[in-house]
Amino acid sequence: MRELPGVGHVDGARRDAAADGARVRRLALALALLAAVVLTGGALLGSAPDARADDDDRGGRDAFDDDRWESRDVGDRMDARGEAFPDPGGGAGVPIDFERDEIVASGLSPGDIDRLQARGFFALQRRRLATLDVEEVRFRVPRAYSVASAAQLVRDIAGGATVDANHLYRPAADPCAGRACRVRQLVAWAPLADPCEADITVGLIDTAIATDHPTLRGSRIENHVARGADRKPGGRSHGTAVASVLVGRAPGEVVGLLPSARLVAVDAFHAGSGGDRMDAFDLLAALDQLLALRVRVINLSFAGPSNTLVEQAVQTAERRGAVLIAAVGNAGPRAAPLYPAAYPTVIGVTAVDEALRVYRRAGQGTHVTLAAPGVDIPVANTGGWLARKTTTQSGTSIAAPFVTASVARLLGAHPRLGPEEVRRQLSGRTRDLGDPGQDAIFGHGLLQAVAHCRTAAVPLLR
């Protein structure tokens, strides 16, 4: 059929104009949605599960659990004890709990290091940790070796060495939306006069802290870094949230248990695939820094695998009189115990909500010492210049600072107590939850805080 002159051109122009109009409308809608997300601090994007809407009742772990990492490039990997990680198909969903091509060791002589380098090992970093009295070495493993076989070769070459995988630890907090809980009342927390808290010193190993955040302005935060020079700095969200629970100075907005205390914070986390993480090598250095500064009360709001070198450092810290408080982790009730909370001398903390129900992601077991508020807790928000100043988070990471602050107060009242006596005192002043006595879900029960101090300072380490 013959086309009439000009008709095809006019129809095409009309179609082009209509398409342009549709594109403009779509762009306007996208910009409006983006503005709404920014102005609501991301609330329109949904929220992570809380204590009542978690991963599942079987304790399974998903990609957003705080105490494991997922890889899209896994391949055949062995753990430090020579056991293969399960591969559920296609190399997906396998937790990365150590650097796949690294090991850490101590007790090596210069000759041992030379012999290992001759076999293809590369010493990425060496550090003398004076307070722990060890020299740690981080090696890159030759491609021909698995982590397990590399560790065994080190043992064969240097019989007296301590060697393990360079395990990874990650923050144990899940962001969630919800109203701020009346958490101080749950643990019988009463404010103290500034002179009583002014000389309290608390240590924190975590991510970096946004000390310029409005809820932390005026807080006495002393920042240190224990991250290897070859590591890219991580974010500041987790460390800032934990710091706001401990020393926040915005009453009614964040918990701020010890607003006048001194916080000695060590940033030991680095950016990695999937988010911020810390390896065993840098964790050792962070502990060494705090012990060298004679910090006696140390908050560890992270969880990961057991590591031989870390276990030895924890034992050294305890012998020197330090009290370590750690999150039990959010891998689920049927997960294996996570560390450092599961080491015998560490106070392991689980999380409960305002109705005293256990956080459904929280780990369970005999290593749970105490329960503390950890669901929908108001914390400092580092979401951007247009984001709300505060948000709420859930997880055992957020529960641990409640116990840490109470330990600091207890030592202020009774400065001669040792770590084991501190554990006994706190365990004896709880509100029993669950089965009578200590149980695998709540430990000894809900923390009931020390409400007074009789001295002006928490004593530093010997």
Side-chain angles (χ1 to χ4, degrees), residues 206-221:
D206 214 291
T207 70
I209 297 173
T211 54
D212 58 347
H213 192 277
T215 65
L216 294 174
R217 286 174 186 162
S219 298
R220 300 165 57 209
I221 301 175

Side-chain angles (χ1 to χ4, degrees), residues 181-387:
C181 302
R182 296 183 296 273
V183 292
R184 286 172 173 263
Q185 289 81 1
L186 287 180
V187 296
W189 193 268
L192 297 178
D194 282 355
C196 198
E197 293 180 354
D199 290 326
I200 286 179
T201 296
V202 174
L204 174 66
I205 299 176
D206 214 291
T207 70
I209 297 173
T211 54
D212 58 347
H213 192 277
T215 65
L216 294 174
R217 286 174 186 162
S219 298
R220 300 165 57 209
I221 301 175
E222 181 181 314
N223 287 308
H224 300 267
V225 178
R227 185 176 46 254
D230 60 329
R231 301 294 199 193
K232 181 181 177 181
R236 303 188 298 174
S237 174
H238 190 268
T240 304
V242 173
S244 71
V245 176
L246 282 168
V247 297
R249 298 180 67 87
E253 298 184 66
V254 294
V255 179
L257 297 168
L258 299 171
S260 299
R262 170 186 173 229
L263 180 65
V264 182
V266 182
D267 171 15
F269 280 74
H270 63 270
S273 59
D276 296 337
R277 56 189 183 180
M278 169 180 62
D279 61 27
F281 189 77
D282 289 339
L283 172 53
L284 290 171
L287 275 173
D288 186 73
Q289 285 192 31
L290 290 177
L291 295 179
L293 292 167
R294 300 172 63 203
V295 176
R296 190 174 180 189
V297 181
I298 302 175
N299 188 91
L300 310 171
S301 285
F302 51 82
S306 181
N307 180 279
T308 311
L309 281 74
V310 172
E311 183 176 12
Q312 289 180 352
V314 166
Q315 292 169 353
T316 299
E318 191 270 341
R319 286 195 300 268
R320 291 176 59 86
V323 181
L324 307 184
I325 303 94
V328 298
N330 310 324
R334 297 191 180 184
L338 294 171
Y339 298 82
Y343 292 129
T345 59
V346 177
I347 298 176
V349 184
T350 191
V352 296
D353 66 9
E354 193 176 8
L356 304 184
R357 296 170 295 194
V358 70
Y359 182 54
R360 288 177 59 187
R361 291 179 183 267
Q364 298 181 13
T366 57
H367 60 294
V368 179
T369 310
L370 295 167
V375 178
D376 286 352
I377 306 300
V379 297
N381 182 22
T382 58
W385 69 277
L386 281 178

Side-chain angles (χ1 to χ4, degrees), residues 23-76:
R23 281 194 291 269
V24 169
R25 287 192 295 274
R26 286 196 297 271
L27 178 60
L29 177 60
L31 290 174
L33 286 174
L34 178 61
V37 169
V38 171
L39 290 173
T40 59
L44 291 181
L45 296 180
S47 58
D50 64 7
R52 298 163 299 286
D54 193 33
D55 39 2
D56 56 57
D57 290 329
R58 299 183 300 278
R61 301 193 290 184
D62 58 36
F64 299 98
D65 284 341
D66 279 337
D67 306 307
R68 50 99 66 150
W69 297 91
E70 297 207 350
S71 173
R72 294 180 176 84
D73 181 19
V74 178
D76 296 330

Side-chain angles (χ1 to χ4, degrees), residues 107-118 123 126 135 137 139 157-158:
L108 297 173
S109 69
D112 294 333
I113 295 173
D114 290 342
R115 284 188 286 275
L116 287 169
Q117 295 198 122
R126 295 172 63 178
E135 181 179 74
V137 186
F139 287 103
I157 290 177

